[in-house]
């Protein structure tokens, strides 16, 4: 039973609320009271009577433990007086709460870290120890603080500006990171739901031929661009990419505020550069969950709540990855002038992990180019996963060694990304275990075409538009984990028998078929090849895969009975709702693409199949002709289809909505996409297009 999308959305929003509560500015607040923290930090530089006998500690400050502060009269009275003067706007209870949790912290980084020790006096008791207002300030940071002192105003203001400036920028960065993440997965959901509103569906149908169907670069989409530069997005996909990039650029460019004097970044220019450095780093971390989500097979949030295909999300995954690298590079390049002069920073472990993470993300980007994917997809996949895992580890140590946990919430983005990744992997394992171990029958059809029958698949009759990732572990001892996606056909559908009429014995077309308008153009296949008798086929529920041998594990397939098979799936190629509701359904296939089209035969009452195959694929036509015996079809062996003409003829009939499902080589899919967009612009017939391509 399928869970309601509304329930999934509510669950996701609830989980998002829990995740965001661990981000700075949402549920995490490094400084409870800014004025109190400024007082505390301004005093941190001065040694106490009980301080360790080390001239200079972290950042040149005296090394003073929490135990020392908790029992030192001068520290407690000086801090209490500073809070009394600078924090008049806060209630006594708020200041007492700060006192109990932060007054004696051993601060070893920016932000109140370390474990406090209860001070010997409360805040109010410490004030009572002061008999008259202090008038003396420490001369410099070598002065031992053994009296109740005034905090130097310039030191206090610099500390306050630093705390306010850095923390406010972290809060803004976290807020913008949430906007980037929510916008990334929210736009597909909103656009899908707008399509179903009564007052927008008609308008969206009219703009579909101009926006979502045509390619943004010529007719390239499934086919790669010249020189293997990648795949061109459709105009709709390009619009999403452009909007998402613009949102990121705008959010990285606005709402900066300089606060001088500043302890870390003297000068307004240096301070603003530092804030851009912070914000781009946060944006990169915020993109990480979205990056993994778009690449996931079990993308429950988006594949269930939208009508966008997994292929679309994979394309967007690549563009989000480029944006991720862009943020990382800006973050890294800005870090150089800010921190290179500080040798202690450059020699630190967190700096080394940051450099490693930047190098890794660039390496992953270049290792994912189309030529490499075509040369060896398996090598690409293994290196992609391994390098990505190392990258996440590097990002983790980069922030943990710098700021620690629970300071600004950087680790929250990594938790979210890991949760998405582990959910996807666990779901894959769960589906494999649910489907169980199968023993498949492999039949060699000839000329490199293979039929694989997998018994007892519970999802065999769940409808069209499904595929599984099949594992054949015994075919390759070196890569038993290798798997590939295959469209599925119910074995019961493949077991249909075409009963020849007496008048067909000579191989001529049946008068009944001609009268019904069915056109069969298969170069008289029936004269030379009798239909296979499948009456003795098993009636148990199962699925059939029709495979053309290629690179990878499929080249090892050969006729056998009892091949060990594991299945991860099923998965939906895309939403079939709009296609099912069309008045007419056209199935257009090329070669082995017929596999994903066959399940549609039993899913719509008004279907016509157009199928073009090479002469070498005649064996494939013979294998499925029993399935095609009762539908309207145009099957051509050795000849191409005139896509534009056949679409125009169907539109002239006067259908309001025509669904087009195409599966096959990239050239065919791109031709159909271009033709559907062109014909859709001319007349009143609306076309729904579903491209199920096999490509890289």
């Amino acid at each position: 039973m399928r869970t309601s999308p509304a329930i999934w959305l509510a669950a996701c929003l609830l989980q998002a609320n829990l995740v965001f509560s661990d981000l700075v500015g949402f549920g995490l607040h490094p400084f409870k009271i800014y004025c109190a923290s400024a007082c505390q930090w301004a005093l941190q530089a001065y040694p106490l009577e009980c301080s360790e006998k080390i001239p200079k500690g972290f950042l040149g400050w005296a090394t003073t433990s929490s135990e020392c502060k908790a029992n030192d009269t001068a520290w407690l009275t000086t801090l209490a007086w500073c809070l009394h003067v600078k924090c008049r706007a806060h209630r006594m209870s708020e200041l007492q709460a700060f006192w109990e949790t932060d007054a004696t912290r051993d601060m070893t980084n920016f932000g109140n870290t370390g474990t406090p020790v209860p001070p010997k006096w409360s805040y109010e008791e410490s004030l009572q120890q002061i008999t008259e207002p202090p008038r003396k300030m420490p001369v410099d940071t070598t002065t031992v603080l053994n009296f109740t002192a005034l905090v130097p105003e310039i030191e206090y203001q610099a500390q306050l500006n630093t705390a306010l400036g850095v923390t406010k920028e972290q809060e803004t960065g976290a807020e913008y990171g949430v906007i980037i993440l929510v916008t990334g997965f929210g736009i597909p959901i909103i656009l899908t739901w707008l399509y179903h509103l009564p007052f927008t569906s008609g308008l969206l149908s009219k703009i579909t031929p101009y926006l979502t169907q045509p390619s943004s670069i010529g007719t390239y989409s499934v086919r790669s661009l010249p020189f293997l530069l990648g795949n061109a997005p459709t105009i709709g996909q390009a619009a999403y990419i452009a909007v998402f990039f613009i949102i990121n650029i705008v959010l990285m460019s606005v709402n900066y505020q300089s606060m001088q004097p500043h302890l870390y970044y003297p000068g307004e220019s240096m301070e603003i550069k530092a804030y851009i450095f912070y914000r781009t780093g946060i944006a990169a971390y915020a993109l990480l969950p979205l990056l993994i989500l778009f690449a996931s097979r079990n993308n429950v949030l988006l594949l269930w709540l939208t009508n966008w295909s997994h292929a679309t999300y994979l394309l967007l995954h690549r563009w989000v990855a480029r944006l991720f690298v862009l943020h990382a590079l800006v973050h890294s390049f800005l870090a150089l002038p800010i921190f290179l002069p500080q040798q202690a920073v450059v020699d630190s472990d967190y700096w080394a992990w940051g450099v490693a993470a930047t190098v890794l993300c660039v390496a992953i980007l270049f290792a994912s180019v189309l030529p490499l994917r075509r040369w060896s997809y398996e090598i690409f996949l293994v290196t992609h996963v391994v390098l990505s895992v190392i990258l996440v580890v590097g990002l983790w140590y980069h922030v943990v060694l710098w700021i620690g946990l629970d300071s600004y919430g950087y680790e929250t983005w990594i938790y979210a990304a890991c949760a998405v990744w582990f959910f996807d992997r666990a779901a894959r394992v769960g589906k494999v275990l649910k489907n169980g171990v199968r023993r498949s029958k492999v039949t060699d059809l000839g000329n490199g075409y293979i039929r694989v029958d997998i018994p007892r698949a519970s999802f065999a009759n769940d409808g069209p538009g499904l595929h599984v990732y099949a594992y054949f572990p015994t075919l390759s001892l070196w890569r038993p984990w290798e798997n590939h996606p295959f469209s599925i056909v119910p074995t019961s559908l493949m077991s249909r028998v075409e009963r020849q009429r007496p008048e067909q014995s000579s191989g001529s077309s049946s008068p009944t078929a001609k009268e019904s308008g069915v056109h069969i153009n298969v170069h008289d296949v029936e004269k030379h090849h009798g239909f296979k008798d499948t009456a003795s086929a098993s009636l148990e529920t199962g699925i059939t895969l029709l495979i053309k041998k290629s690179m990878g594990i499929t080249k090892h397939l050969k006729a056998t009975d009892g091949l060990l098979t594991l299945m991860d799936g099923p998965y939906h190629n895309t939403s079939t709702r709009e296609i099912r509701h069309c008045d007419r359904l056209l199935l257009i296939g090329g070669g082995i693409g017929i596999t994903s089209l066959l399940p549609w035969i039993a899913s719509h009452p008004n279907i016509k199949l157009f199928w073009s195959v090479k002469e070498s694929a005649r064996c494939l036509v013979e294998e499925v002709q029993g399935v095609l015996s009762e539908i309207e079809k145009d099957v051509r062996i050795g000849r191409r289809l005139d896509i534009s003409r056949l679409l125009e003829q169907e539109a002239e009939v006067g259908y309001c909505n025509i669904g087009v499902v195409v599966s096959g080589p990239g050239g065919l899919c791109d031709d159909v996409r271009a033709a559907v967009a062109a014909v859709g612009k001319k007349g009143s017939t609306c076309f729904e297009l579903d491209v199920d391509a096999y490509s890289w």
Side-chain angles (χ1 to χ4, degrees):
M1 182 177 181
R2 183 165 175 168
T3 307
S4 167
I7 296 177
W8 275 113
L9 182 60
C12 292
L13 291 176
L14 177 61
Q15 184 62 34
N17 180 61
L18 295 175
V19 170
F20 295 157
S21 66
D22 290 330
L23 293 176
V24 63
F26 287 82
L28 185 63
H29 302 281
F31 298 101
K32 298 177 179 65
I33 303 176
Y34 285 101
C35 59
S37 296
C39 288
Q40 185 184 30
W41 275 89
L43 293 173
Q44 180 69 15
Y46 303 106
L48 305 178
E49 292 284 2
C50 54
S51 296
E52 295 183 30
K53 303 302 181 182
I54 300 176
K56 297 293 181 181
F58 183 77
L59 293 179
W61 295 335
T63 304
T64 306
S65 67
S66 293
E67 291 80 3
C68 173
K69 294 176 183 177
N71 295 284
D72 189 89
T73 298
W75 171 267
L76 296 176
T77 57
T78 302
L79 180 60
W81 183 258
C82 185
L83 266 60
H84 173 69
V85 173
K86 300 295 185 180
C87 302
R88 296 183 184 275
H90 294 272
R91 296 189 300 270
M92 177 65 74
S93 59
E94 293 176 327
L95 297 177
Q96 179 61 36
F98 169 85
W99 189 268
E100 293 173 354
T101 58
D102 294 278
T104 63
R105 284 188 183 274
D106 180 12
M107 298 171 291
T108 57
N109 209 332
F110 193 78
N112 291 331
T113 60
T115 302
V117 174
K120 65 179 180 180
W121 295 322
S122 69
Y123 168 60
E124 190 172 4
E125 289 171 339
S126 298
L127 280 178
Q128 292 173 354
Q129 305 302 314
I130 304 173
T131 57
E132 60 181 28
R135 302 181 183 277
K136 183 180 177 182
M137 291 186 296
V139 176
D140 53 38
T141 55
T142 63
T143 302
V144 176
L145 189 64
N146 54 10
F147 59 93
T148 302
L150 287 174
V151 175
E153 183 60 28
I154 190 170
E155 179 70 17
Y156 168 81
Q157 194 60 49
Q159 293 287 356
L160 182 63
N161 289 344
T162 303
L164 277 172
V166 172
T167 305
K168 290 298 184 184
E169 180 52 44
Q170 296 290 337
E171 292 175 352
T172 301
E175 177 185 342
Y176 289 171
V178 171
I179 292 175
I180 289 171
L181 178 60
V182 173
T183 301
F185 67 74
I187 290 177
I189 297 174
I190 293 173
L191 291 179
T192 299
W193 288 12
L194 280 177
Y195 190 89
H196 299 297
L197 295 177
F199 56 86
T200 60
S201 58
L203 174 63
L204 292 174
S205 297
K206 294 298 182 183
I207 67 174
T208 292
Y210 300 90
L211 184 62
T212 62
Q213 290 174 349
S215 172
S216 60
I217 304 178
T219 60
Y220 291 98
S221 182
V222 178
R223 291 175 301 146
S224 66
L225 292 167
F227 309 109
L228 298 179
L229 293 178
N231 298 97
T234 64
I235 292 178
Q237 293 167 345
Y240 172 93
I241 294 167
V243 168
F244 195 58
F245 266 72
I246 290 172
I247 289 173
N248 275 262
I249 292 172
V250 169
L251 293 180
M252 296 303 105
S253 307
V254 300
N255 199 19
Y256 291 102
Q257 182 180 1
S258 174
M259 301 185 70
Q260 293 290 325
H262 197 289
L263 278 177
Y264 292 170
Y265 313 115
E268 182 176 344
S269 175
M270 178 66 75
E271 185 182 358
I272 298 302
K273 287 179 182 177
Y275 291 164
I276 299 173
F277 156 80
Y278 285 135
R279 196 177 297 183
T280 51
I282 296 171
Y285 275 77
L287 283 174
L288 197 59
L290 189 68
L291 187 61
I292 298 176
L293 182 67
F294 279 177
S296 300
R297 293 180 190 175
N298 297 280
N299 183 347
V300 176
L301 174 63
L302 295 178
L303 292 179
W304 281 53
L305 296 178
T306 73
N307 58 4
W308 293 21
S309 67
H310 183 55
T312 294
Y313 287 118
L314 282 178
L315 183 143
L316 298 182
H317 162 78
R318 299 183 191 118
W319 283 97
V320 172
R322 292 162 187 150
L323 185 58
F324 173 85
V325 174
L326 178 62
H327 282 308
L329 289 176
V330 173
H331 175 80
S332 300
F333 287 144
L334 286 176
L336 295 177
I338 297 173
F339 295 111
L340 270 182
Q342 304 179 31
Q343 191 63 38
V345 173
V346 176
D347 292 340
S348 64
D349 290 338
Y350 79 81
W351 176 274
W353 278 107
V355 171
T358 301
V359 172
L360 276 170
C361 68
V362 174
I364 292 172
L365 183 66
F366 281 100
S368 303
V369 294
L370 184 58
L372 178 60
R373 300 204 306 271
R374 283 196 170 182
W375 173 67
S376 177
Y377 187 82
E378 288 305 315
I379 291 179
F380 151 74
L381 190 60
V382 171
T383 56
H384 197 70
V385 172
V386 172
L387 292 179
S388 297
V389 170
I390 299 175
L391 171 62
V392 172
V393 172
L395 294 173
W396 167 267
Y397 279 110
H398 180 52
V399 298
V400 169
L401 295 176
W402 169 53
I403 200 67
L405 296 176
D406 300 325
S407 293
Y408 288 131
Y410 287 99
E411 67 278 3
T412 302
W413 304 111
I414 299 179
Y415 294 154
C418 291
V420 173
W421 190 87
F422 281 113
F423 176 82
D424 178 51
R425 298 292 164 164
R428 294 187 192 186
V429 173
K431 289 182 177 182
V432 171
L433 294 177
K434 179 182 178 182
N435 290 323
V437 177
R438 296 287 182 265
R439 294 288 177 175
S440 303
K441 179 180 179 181
V442 182
T443 305
D444 191 341
L445 305 180
N447 292 331
Y449 290 92
I450 299 292
R451 170 175 173 169
V452 179
D453 293 301
I454 306 174
R456 302 187 310 279
S458 60
F459 51 85
N461 297 307
D462 284 356
L466 296 177
H467 66 274
V468 297
Y469 291 82
Y471 298 76
F472 305 109
T474 57
L475 291 184
S476 175
L477 297 178
W478 296 105
R479 301 191 305 271
W481 61 82
E482 184 175 336
N483 63 95
H484 295 278
F486 299 102
S487 296
I488 65 173
V489 183
T491 304
S492 59
L493 185 64
M494 292 293 294
S495 299
R496 288 184 178 179
V497 181
E498 182 178 29
R499 294 176 173 83
Q500 289 182 300
R501 301 180 185 274
E503 58 267 27
Q504 288 180 285
S505 58
S506 63
S508 61
S509 298
S510 165
T512 304
K514 290 181 179 179
E515 291 170 5
S516 63
V518 179
H519 171 61
I520 305 176
N521 185 359
V522 292
H523 295 276
D524 292 331
V525 173
E526 295 89 341
K527 291 182 180 180
H528 307 288
H529 303 276
F531 291 107
K532 294 186 178 181
D533 182 8
T534 58
S536 60
S538 172
L539 297 179
E540 65 181 351
T541 302
I543 61 172
T544 294
L545 314 178
L546 297 175
I547 302 171
K548 189 178 188 304
K549 288 186 177 182
S550 183
M551 298 175 62
I553 201 70
T554 58
K555 67 183 179 183
H556 300 294
L557 286 170
K558 58 184 179 180
T560 186
D561 195 357
L563 176 65
L564 178 63
T565 305
L566 303 175
M567 293 182 294
D568 171 19
Y571 295 96
H572 286 271
N573 302 331
T574 187
S575 172
T576 61
R577 182 179 183 276
E578 288 78 15
I579 299 291
R580 289 175 182 267
H581 289 175
C582 290
D583 304 325
R584 173 76 157 166
L585 178 56
L586 306 180
L587 306 176
I588 304 175
I592 199 66
I594 189 65
T595 310
S596 65
L597 302 181
L598 291 178
W600 283 98
I601 292 175
S603 301
H604 199 281
N606 188 8
I607 287 179
K608 184 171 183 179
L609 170 69
F610 298 89
W611 185 25
S612 174
V613 297
K614 296 179 180 179
E615 181 65 34
S616 59
R618 184 180 291 270
C619 58
L620 190 62
V621 177
E622 298 172 8
E623 187 66 23
V624 302
Q625 57 188 334
V627 185
L628 308 180
S629 61
E630 299 177 0
I631 68 167
E632 189 179 358
K633 56 187 173 294
D634 181 354
V635 182
R636 303 187 182 190
I637 298 179
R639 292 193 298 143
R640 293 181 177 272
L641 297 165
D642 187 345
I643 305 297
S644 297
R645 180 57 185 159
L646 71 86
L647 290 177
E648 290 173 355
Q649 289 176 342
E650 294 293 333
E652 290 170 0
V653 176
Y655 293 110
C656 292
N657 298 282
I658 297 179
V660 179
V661 181
V662 57
S663 180
L668 172 67
C669 293
D670 288 349
D671 289 344
V672 172
R673 177 181 293 280
V676 165
V679 176
K681 295 175 183 178
K682 294 179 180 178
S684 59
T685 301
C686 297
F687 285 84
E688 292 288 345
L689 178 63
D690 179 8
V691 177
D692 184 9
Y694 46 94
S695 67
W696 300 93

